[in-house]
Amino acid sequence: AAIAIRDADCTTDNMCKEFSVPFGLTISKETTPEIYKLFAKSLRTADFIGTYPKRHYMRMRPFARFHEPSLAPWDDEMLSHNGSYPSGHTLRGWTAALILTEINPANADTLLARGFMFSESRVIVGAHWQSDIDAGRLAASAAVAKMHTSPEFLAQMEKAKKEFELEQQRIKEERERKEKELALRIQKQVEEQAKLRKIRNIWAHPYVVVSTS
């Protein structure tokens, strides 16, 4: 339940934090501005997709239906006046997973698993019904497909992919540099230990004359 409660915060910055681990790279405005820009604008677009159906259905949420607080009670008052169907958190979480998977397809399994978990968290805390979640993932998939018809989105996606490649290369080079430095330090320690052993062996034989020249 701890992760589900944490997932109640669907702000862009918190989602960057939550999805950075499965993405394999820290997502932030400072370190990955192009990825962050694509991520933030995609989430805002996903928000719009759910606005009309939420107003149309105005489905009561589980915690309100059963007159019990959710596991994230600080949001209950606001959410009680906001339709449950489809899930807005799911729209954002599944959109995030799909967008980041396109940038880093090698981590598709962990990203999609985190997106699935992010949406299921809403059922766990009592903020949504399962059908809200299912509809949210479907709507997010449609939203991302629609985004791909936008030249602006496609251009930003290319910038994000390029930034990811450069950052991965930088991390690789930094790792190789550190590994090389470590190897040199180990080699130096081995050589120093070998010299010490040689000196000890010499002094262990009292009749050996050691030249000081």
Side-chain angles (χ1 to χ4, degrees), residues 28-103:
S28 73
K29 192 181 298 184
E30 294 74 27
T31 60
T32 54
E34 299 299 345
I35 295 174
Y36 182 90
K37 182 178 180 180
L38 176 71
F39 191 77
K41 292 190 73 172
S42 297
L43 294 184
R44 287 198 298 271
T45 301
D47 288 338
F48 292 130
I49 299 296
T51 301
Y52 178 77
K54 277 179 172 291
R55 290 177 180 173
H56 177 75
Y57 293 105
M58 277 305 295
R59 188 181 197 181
M60 184 178 290
R61 294 172 182 269
F63 70 84
R65 173 68 179 79
F66 295 111
H67 305 289
E68 294 283 349
S70 73
L71 294 182
W74 52 86
D75 285 336
D76 288 359
E77 175 60 28
M78 181 271 292
L79 293 178
S80 63
H81 303 290
N82 179 274
S84 182
Y85 182 91
S87 165
H89 276 68
T90 300
L91 270 162
R92 291 173 70 84
W94 197 241
T95 294
L98 294 176
I99 294 297
L100 296 178
T101 293
E102 188 166 348
I103 298 172

Side-chain angles (χ1 to χ4, degrees), residues 86-141:
S87 165
H89 276 68
T90 300
L91 270 162
R92 291 173 70 84
W94 197 241
T95 294
L98 294 176
I99 294 297
L100 296 178
T101 293
E102 188 166 348
I103 298 172
N104 184 15
N107 283 20
D109 54 348
T110 52
L111 282 166
L112 294 175
R114 187 63 182 96
F116 186 89
M117 184 190 302
F118 193 87
S119 59
E120 292 300 319
S121 289
R122 304 307 286 161
V123 175
I124 294 172
V125 299
H128 280 288
W129 309 95
Q130 184 61 47
S131 54
D132 302 337
I133 305 306
D134 298 339
R137 280 197 287 264
L138 181 60
S141 298

Side-chain angles (χ1 to χ4, degrees), residues 15-30:
M15 291 185 68
C16 283
K17 178 182 176 182
E18 294 296 334
F19 280 88
S20 286
V21 175
F23 185 54
L25 183 68
T26 298
I27 306 168
S28 73
K29 192 181 298 184
E30 294 74 27

Side-chain angles (χ1 to χ4, degrees), residues 34 38 102-103 152-165:
E34 299 299 345
L38 176 71
E102 188 166 348
I103 298 172
E152 181 183 355
F153 169 85
L154 295 175
Q156 188 59 40
M157 174 61 79
E158 288 305 311
K159 290 180 182 179
K161 288 181 178 179
K162 182 64 176 178
E163 182 177 69
F164 177 76
E165 291 174 2

